Amino acid sequence: MRLEAAVREHMKPKHWKYGGSERVRATQEVMNGVSPLDVPYMPLRRMERRDISLTRALSFQGKISEASEARQLGLRNPAWLLDDKMAAYRFIDNLEISRPASDDCVYQFADIEEQYPCVIKSTRSTGSRGCYLAFSQNRIVHVYDALELSSWADLTKHAAGLTNPESTGQTLRDRWFVEELVIMNGIPANDVKFYSFYGEIALILEMRRQNGIEYCFLNPDNSIPETGLQRTYFQGEGVTPRDLELVRRISREIPYPFVRIDMLRGDEGLVFGEFTPRVGGYDEFNDEWDRSFGESWARAESRLFNDLLNGKRFTAFLESTAKTDVSAESATGRTSEN
């Protein structure tokens, strides 16, 4: 309450008779660190008239937290429907986007036929937990922690641990699917993750996993931003205008302001990987990027509302998610850790 009272006093008209642009500049510097909850109605109006921004009012971290609280009320975020891998693949197929080949069947792990090379994934998981790259009989990698397994028996034992309710960490359901291992120049494809705000690509993250996990953040023009995240970095390949337009097209078909669209860079170009409704490390971005993402979210909401008012139907999304089981999401509310 002391801060609120100080803001109220500072913005009274009597204090603005002198100082002009210098007082506006000084006030903006103070307001950059003030929570919107500490700014009453009248001071906010006076700030608007002087073009003083309440910087923290548009916050990516705030939006993610708001969505988490809404979920506690039982309000469903449409993007979570695409967290189910099978629903995501139906959606991508409806949009005629390339994805890894798969028989589209869901198995209990004991029913999966031993085969190489392939990828075995949990239908719902966090940050590649329960995702295995099976290269050969004696080389299988658990992507989440780069653990190398030397046999199918070791793989079976490891997967059983992830689905055991007595094990530590999130328990995975015994629901798996098998798909093609996407290759680029003879090695597993890099991840290329697009921070997508209903048609706007704000940031790209390229990841490779050959020597541990390495990161490369890029702006859409392939310049390198300062994000504030402490990671092991490498020089990525960047993206093309065609890559950006492909991902924008996917993003515009999802009726929610934000979802990260995770692709794989294979020999034939970008291939769809998965959707990530809530990204890990969202609280580690610096203040500039938190605000920038917040602005992107606000613009995305505006475009989405306008499209809905103009009758946009999102047919591909509705058809693909009609039978999606959201009970697991409601229970776990997973966050990708990458």
Side-chain angles (χ1 to χ4, degrees), residues 165-228:
E166 303 298 323
S167 63
T168 59
Q170 177 193 356
T171 301
L172 302 183
R173 293 188 296 174
D174 190 17
R175 291 171 54 83
W176 308 82
F177 66 100
V178 183
E179 67 180 23
E180 168 193 12
L181 177 61
V182 179
I183 296 295
M184 176 68 173
N185 296 329
I187 60 176
N190 286 356
D191 299 303
V192 188
K193 303 169 183 282
F194 296 79
Y195 289 73
S196 306
F197 294 85
Y198 192 61
E200 176 188 345
I201 308 302
L203 186 69
I204 299 110
L205 167 60
E206 185 170 352
M207 295 173 60
R208 69 181 181 189
R209 305 174 187 271
Q210 281 71 57
N211 300 298
I213 301 178
E214 298 174 295
Y215 298 75
C216 177
F217 283 102
L218 295 167
N219 292 311
D221 65 359
N222 289 320
S223 61
I224 298 176
E226 177 50 60
T227 63

Side-chain angles (χ1 to χ4, degrees), residues 16 35-36 63 83 87 104 114 122 127 135 140 146 150 156 158 162 166 221 228 234-236 238 240 248 276 278 310:
W16 289 81
S35 166
K63 282 294 187 181
D83 187 49
D104 296 337
E114 183 174 350
S122 167
F135 296 98
I140 302 168
S150 59
T156 302
H158 189 273
L162 297 182
E166 303 298 323
D221 65 359
F234 77 106
Q235 180 61 54
T240 67
R248 289 190 191 104
T276 301
R278 182 172 63 187
N310 288 324

Side-chain angles (χ1 to χ4, degrees), residues 91 95 198 249-255 312 314 316-317:
F91 176 63
L95 296 180
Y198 192 61
R249 181 162 74 88
I250 298 171
S251 178
R252 286 191 292 263
E253 295 300 323
I254 302 171
K312 186 171 180 178
F314 297 96
F317 177 87

